[in-house]
């Protein structure tokens, strides 16, 4: 499996800048699917449950659970009562031969040294036994409580999977534990596809809520029990009210295929429920190109591995002279980061595009490469508040070099890098391991890209306003693009 780098969907935007670090005897895992738009993991042997277990299918059968009654809880200094837990943690500190201890390779460069994958010294030597005994007792007590008191019977495997998921999502809203299904779904989308969860919603004034009006059969939402008539209250951290537009909600539910989104729903008159879904209802992305008064209007919905080629193909297929370009990146959630650099290379040469800053303040600068075929053409970029990640990288670099005029509204502000690291063939962990900045070192995350010209009002009028701006700067005579092997008539 080759590492692939792409800018993760802005719809799971995180406010935390911390990067999780853990140690498995100082090993570094490989391979990594680098999302971000870019880790280590702890592997606990299935037979390392506390106490002896004769059933290898259930790693928690031998757990010695601690009673919730205060008089039955062992004193924290009683090493005997905690020895089994300590044994389990000792095993967790041992390397697992089933995990490759090969340095992670970066998709941004062939030189793995450009991104630091070493475990910091202050963390590498910390044993898991340093965890407070009181914390361990509380954890086991919670497991016991759920086993005995929860309204439905819960499988131990599910409990521990949920515990891992909770640990990661609390660390960072981008972090995620991927079970077999989620990992396979994510591996199916490595080209910057855009997807959603398979529902349509409308605001119903009589109910005072956003209501699900359609659920696509066998979609992620359908599989998790979301039904027509359910109320949709919140998408990730965004609460929904009558002030939202349909397009707003659609864009919150949409993102890079394979990424996750949390939604809060309820049945009418019943309690609210949070559901985590993957955006696996994929939509093939087509770069639309049209010619208006000599200006090529290019709609770029996401950055995929072939975006540069598809953009040029669209210009060739116009089969007419082009005197300027309007690049419409509204609602573009990002995609493959290196694809954004490739598109930037069409308009600029020998130019730094983005800085990727990993931990310990190391950074990697990505620059344009090859011939800037479209350099002679005036360029205007149209963006909105849902333009994010790789789209912001491209806009900021064009703006910094005064190569294009950016118009519209402030973009979303998504500038973090995630790494999806396999634990085995069926499970993986996704962590934020770096941030990316503008080529000048300015922050994008939570800030976005300020337009040179701000537009307001209905977006239906924005394309025409942008078109007039390009026309004012258009070349006197256009440039026609043809294939090298085209036959002269």
């Amino acid at each position: 499996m080759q590492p692939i780098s792409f800018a993760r969907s802005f719809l799971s935007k995180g406010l935390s800048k911390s990067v999780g670090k853990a140690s498995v005897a100082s090993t570094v895992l490989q391979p990594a699917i680098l999302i971000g738009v870019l880790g280590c993991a702890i592997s606990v042997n299935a037979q390392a449950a506390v106490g002896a277990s004769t059933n290898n299918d259930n790693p928690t059968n031998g757990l010695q659970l601690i009673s919730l009654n205060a008089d039955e809880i062992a004193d924290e200094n009683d090493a005997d009562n905690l020895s089994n837990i300590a044994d389990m943690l000792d095993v967790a500190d041992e390397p697992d031969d089933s995990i490759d201890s090969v340095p992670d390779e970066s998709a941004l460069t062939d030189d793995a040294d450009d991104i630091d994958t070493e475990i910091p010294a202050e963390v590498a030597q910390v044993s898991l036994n340093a965890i407070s005994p009181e914390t361990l007792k509380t954890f086991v007590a919670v497991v016991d409580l759920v086993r005995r008191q929860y309204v439905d019977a819960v499988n131990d495997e599910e409990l521990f999977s949920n515990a891992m998921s909770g640990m990661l999502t609390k660390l960072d809203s981008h972090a995620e534990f991927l079970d077999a299904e989620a990992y396979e779904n994510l591996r199916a989308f490595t080209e910057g596809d855009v997807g959603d969860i398979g529902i349509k919603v409308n605001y119903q004034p009589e109910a005072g809520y956003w209501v699900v009006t359609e659920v696509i059969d066998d979609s992620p939402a359908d599989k998790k029990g979301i039904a027509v008539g359910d109320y949709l209250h919140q998408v990730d951290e965004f609460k929904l009210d009558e002030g939202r537009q349909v397009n707003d909600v659609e864009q919150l539910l949409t993102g890079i295929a394979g990424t996750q989104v949390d939604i809060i729903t309820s049945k009418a008159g019943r309690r609210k429920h949070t559901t985590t879904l993957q955006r696996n209802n994929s939509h093939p992305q087509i770069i639309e190109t049209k010619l208006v008064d000599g200006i090529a209007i290019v709609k770029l919905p996401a950055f995929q591995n072939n975006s540069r080629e598809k953009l040029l193909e669209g210009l060739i297929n116009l089969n007419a002279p082009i005197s300027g370009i309007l690049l419409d990146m509204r609602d573009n959630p990002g995609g493959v980061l290196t694809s954004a650099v490739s598109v930037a290379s069409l308009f600029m040469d020998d130019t730094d595009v983005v800085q990727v800053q990993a931990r310990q303040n190391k950074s990697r600068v990505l620059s344009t490469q090859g011939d800037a075929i479209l350099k002679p053409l005036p360029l205007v970029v149209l963006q909105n508040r849902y333009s994010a990640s790789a789209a912001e990288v491209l806009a900021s670099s064009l703006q910094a070099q005064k190569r294009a005029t950016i118009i519209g509204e402030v973009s979303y502000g998504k500038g973090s890098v995630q790494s999806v690291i396999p634990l085995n063939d069926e499970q993986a962990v996704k962590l934020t391991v770096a941030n990316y900045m503008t080529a000048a070192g300015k922050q994008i995350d939570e800030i976005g890209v300020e337009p040179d010209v701000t537009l307001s009002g209905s977006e239906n009028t924005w394309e025409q306003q942008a078109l007039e701006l390009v026309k004012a700067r258009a070349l006197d005579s256009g440039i026609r693009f043809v294939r090298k092997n085209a036959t002269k008539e």
Side-chain angles (χ1 to χ4, degrees):
M1 185 192 319
Q2 294 297 318
I4 297 175
S5 173
F6 61 94
R8 188 175 181 270
S9 164
F10 66 92
L11 297 179
S12 52
K13 177 182 180 183
L15 301 181
S16 170
K17 295 295 182 294
S18 62
V19 176
K21 306 177 184 73
S23 171
V24 184
S26 300
T27 58
V28 180
L29 305 185
Q30 148 77 23
I33 298 176
L34 296 178
I35 299 182
V37 235
L38 287 154
C40 3
I42 296 172
S43 175
V44 180
N45 191 300
Q47 299 181 24
V50 177
S53 172
T54 58
N55 184 355
N56 291 337
D57 293 333
N58 188 342
T60 62
N61 273 349
L63 275 177
Q64 294 182 350
L65 299 179
I66 299 174
S67 170
L68 294 181
N69 296 327
D71 57 349
E72 295 179 12
I73 295 179
D75 184 272
E76 66 181 43
N77 294 320
D78 186 354
D80 291 338
N81 288 329
L82 295 174
S83 60
N84 288 327
I85 296 177
D87 290 341
M88 177 182 70
L89 296 176
D90 281 337
V91 174
D93 277 338
E94 295 297 323
D96 188 340
D97 292 336
S98 68
I99 299 178
D100 295 332
S101 57
V102 181
D104 181 18
E105 295 179 358
S106 168
L108 304 179
T109 173
D110 291 334
D111 187 354
D113 292 336
D114 287 327
I115 293 182
D116 182 19
T117 57
E118 292 299 321
I119 305 302
E122 64 271 20
V123 177
Q125 302 305 318
V126 176
S127 170
L128 288 178
N129 284 322
I131 298 174
S132 163
E134 194 63 38
T135 299
L136 292 174
K137 288 193 293 185
T138 302
F139 176 80
V140 178
V142 170
V143 173
D144 187 26
L145 175 65
V146 174
R147 276 176 161 180
R148 295 185 291 105
Q149 299 293 336
Y150 187 64
V151 62
D152 297 317
V154 182
N155 182 277
D156 287 342
E157 293 285 349
E158 182 180 354
L159 284 179
F160 276 76
S161 177
N162 290 343
M164 289 184 287
S165 296
M167 173 184 67
L168 291 166
T169 55
K170 282 291 186 180
L171 176 71
D172 176 356
S173 64
H174 294 311
E176 183 181 356
F177 174 74
L178 302 172
D179 59 18
E181 181 181 5
Y183 185 30
E184 181 58 34
N185 287 337
L186 186 58
R187 282 188 289 190
F189 303 107
T190 58
E191 302 294 324
D193 291 341
V194 172
D196 60 34
I197 61 173
I199 64 173
K200 293 187 179 299
V201 297
N202 278 302
Y203 184 76
Q204 296 186 358
E206 63 276 11
Y209 293 103
W210 285 86
V211 179
V212 177
T213 57
E214 180 181 345
V215 179
I216 296 175
D217 289 342
D218 207 34
S219 66
D222 184 38
K223 292 178 179 178
K224 286 293 184 75
I226 306 300
V228 172
D230 287 357
Y231 292 168
L232 179 62
H233 303 279
Q234 187 168 326
V235 179
D236 282 334
E237 69 267 36
F238 301 98
K239 294 182 179 180
L240 306 184
D241 55 29
E242 67 277 7
R244 298 275 182 182
Q245 302 296 317
V246 172
N247 183 62
D248 291 331
V249 181
E250 288 180 355
Q251 290 306 314
L252 291 175
L253 295 170
T254 302
I256 298 301
T259 58
Q260 71 175 18
V261 61
D262 292 331
I263 63 171
I264 296 179
T265 59
S266 71
K267 308 295 181 183
R270 298 184 181 180
R271 67 179 183 178
K272 296 179 181 178
H273 178 68
T274 300
T275 306
T276 299
L277 300 166
Q278 278 192 302
R279 298 179 176 97
N280 295 329
N281 187 48
S282 182
H283 308 289
Q285 297 304 295
I286 300 174
I287 296 179
E288 300 176 0
T289 307
K290 62 183 179 180
L291 192 68
V292 178
D293 297 332
I295 305 300
I297 301 177
V298 180
K299 174 66 176 175
L300 186 58
F303 288 93
Q304 300 178 295
N305 288 334
N306 60 359
S307 291
R308 177 185 182 277
E309 291 73 20
K310 291 296 184 182
L311 193 158
L312 288 175
E313 183 178 337
L315 296 179
I316 292 171
N317 291 338
L318 291 177
N319 195 28
I322 299 170
S323 56
I325 295 179
L326 169 57
L327 185 61
D328 189 347
M329 294 198 297
R330 287 178 293 177
D331 302 333
N332 184 320
V336 182
L337 180 60
T338 51
S339 174
V341 177
S342 295
V343 172
S345 299
L346 292 173
F347 298 98
M348 304 179 292
D349 50 22
D350 299 322
T351 303
D352 293 341
V353 177
V354 61
Q355 293 185 28
V356 179
Q357 294 190 345
R359 65 172 177 237
Q360 298 180 354
N361 298 320
K362 286 192 175 183
S363 64
R364 165 71 173 165
V365 177
L366 304 183
S367 304
T368 59
Q369 297 180 352
D371 296 331
I373 302 172
L374 306 180
K375 188 175 181 178
L377 292 170
L379 175 65
V380 169
V381 174
L382 182 57
Q383 67 177 28
N384 65 2
R385 60 190 176 278
Y386 300 117
S387 305
S389 203
E392 295 174 292
V393 166
L394 178 58
S396 65
S397 64
L398 293 169
Q399 184 183 56
Q401 298 299 320
K402 301 188 184 304
R403 177 58 186 88
T405 300
I406 313 300
I407 70 172
E409 59 188 353
V410 178
S411 61
Y412 188 85
K414 164 66 176 69
S416 61
V417 182
Q418 282 71 47
S419 179
V420 174
I421 306 169
L423 299 176
N424 49 52
D425 289 339
E426 295 187 343
Q427 296 172 317
V429 168
K430 180 163 57 181
L431 287 176
T432 298
V433 297
N435 292 312
Y436 55 81
M437 322 283 281
T438 68
K442 294 183 179 180
Q443 185 173 332
I444 293 175
D445 205 47
E446 300 182 46
I447 295 177
V449 178
E450 289 274 355
D452 299 306
V453 178
T454 301
L455 301 180
S456 58
S458 173
E459 282 197 37
N460 294 331
T461 67
W462 288 15
E463 181 181 292
Q464 185 59 40
Q465 294 181 65
L467 187 60
E468 294 301 324
L469 186 56
V470 186
K471 286 181 181 179
R473 304 173 183 181
L475 300 177
D476 292 334
S477 59
I479 300 174
R480 184 191 296 266
F481 295 92
V482 297
R483 292 179 177 84
K484 288 184 178 180
N485 59 354
T487 302
K488 294 183 179 180
E489 298 182 357

